[in-house]
Amino acid sequence: MIPKAIRLLISELEKLPGVGPRSAERLALHLFWFGKENTQMLANSLLSLHSEVIICPQCGGLSEKTGCEICNDLTRRRDIICVVEKPLDILSIDKSGAFKGLYHVLGGRLSPVNGVGPEDLRLAELFARVEKESVKELLLALGMDVESDATVYFIAKHFQNSDVKISRLAQGIPVGASLDITDGLTLERAIENRLPVNGV
Ligand SMILES: [Zn+2]
């Protein structure tokens, strides 16, 4: 019989994405042989996830509790905001080095079929930000599928009578691909050759 503490650990590990029962077992036993000091360090870093990392109330990205490094970076342009679906997308775009403005995470894309409406996304926050901070351009980095198109259309429509320039990533991002698997160079080109979507 496997000791209770290990069984508990296995059932927790199984909840992680990509970890099946077999690998959960292997990991749990590995952690036991990993040594007390190492497991302590792992446990501490797991706990600090929630004590030190927060969702930035402004951009919606992952941030230090002490303040968001991106929103507080005064070397960044503040008149252009790159709109993305999820916090991880910020990482991908920032790594490409082609964008030096601020970000806004929507938390998803519009999808009437799946019951995702405008009120389920951080759209009101985006519109308020644009107004308050006199933003001149929104770069919509949302991929190339139906749901992304619907989201782009909704945002462009909101700003149709304003001076805010709306652009989206140029072709080059594979259809249905998420930004985190798109390589840096493709992303850089897609940002540089971004296309205007005003006037819908
Ligand atoms: Zn932020």
CSV table of all heavy atoms in Angstrom, one decimal, residues 56 58-60 68 71, ligand 1:
chain,number,residue,atom,x,y,z
A,56,CYS,N,-2.3,42.1,-12.6
A,56,CYS,CA,-2.3,43.6,-12.6
A,56,CYS,C,-3.7,44.2,-12.8
A,56,CYS,O,-4.3,43.8,-13.8
A,56,CYS,CB,-1.3,44.1,-13.6
A,56,CYS,SG,-1.3,45.9,-13.9
A,58,GLN,N,-4.5,47.0,-13.9
A,58,GLN,CA,-4.6,47.8,-15.1
A,58,GLN,C,-4.5,47.0,-16.4
A,58,GLN,O,-5.4,47.0,-17.1
A,58,GLN,CB,-3.4,48.8,-15.1
A,58,GLN,CG,-3.5,49.6,-16.3
A,58,GLN,CD,-2.8,51.0,-16.2
A,58,GLN,OE1,-3.4,52.0,-16.0
A,58,GLN,NE2,-1.4,50.9,-16.3
A,59,CYS,N,-3.4,46.2,-16.6
A,59,CYS,CA,-3.2,45.5,-17.8
A,59,CYS,C,-3.8,44.1,-17.8
A,59,CYS,O,-4.1,43.5,-18.9
A,59,CYS,CB,-1.7,45.5,-18.2
A,59,CYS,SG,-0.7,44.4,-17.2
A,60,GLY,N,-4.0,43.6,-16.6
A,60,GLY,CA,-4.6,42.2,-16.6
A,60,GLY,C,-3.5,41.1,-16.7
A,60,GLY,O,-3.9,40.0,-16.8
A,68,CYS,N,3.4,46.5,-11.2
A,68,CYS,CA,3.6,45.8,-12.5
A,68,CYS,C,4.8,46.4,-13.3
A,68,CYS,O,4.8,47.6,-13.5
A,68,CYS,CB,2.3,46.0,-13.3
A,68,CYS,SG,2.4,45.4,-15.0
A,71,CYS,N,3.5,48.1,-16.7
A,71,CYS,CA,2.7,49.3,-16.6
A,71,CYS,C,3.5,50.4,-16.0
A,71,CYS,O,3.3,51.6,-16.3
A,71,CYS,CB,1.5,49.1,-15.8
A,71,CYS,SG,0.3,48.0,-16.6
B,1,ZN,ZN,0.2,45.9,-15.7
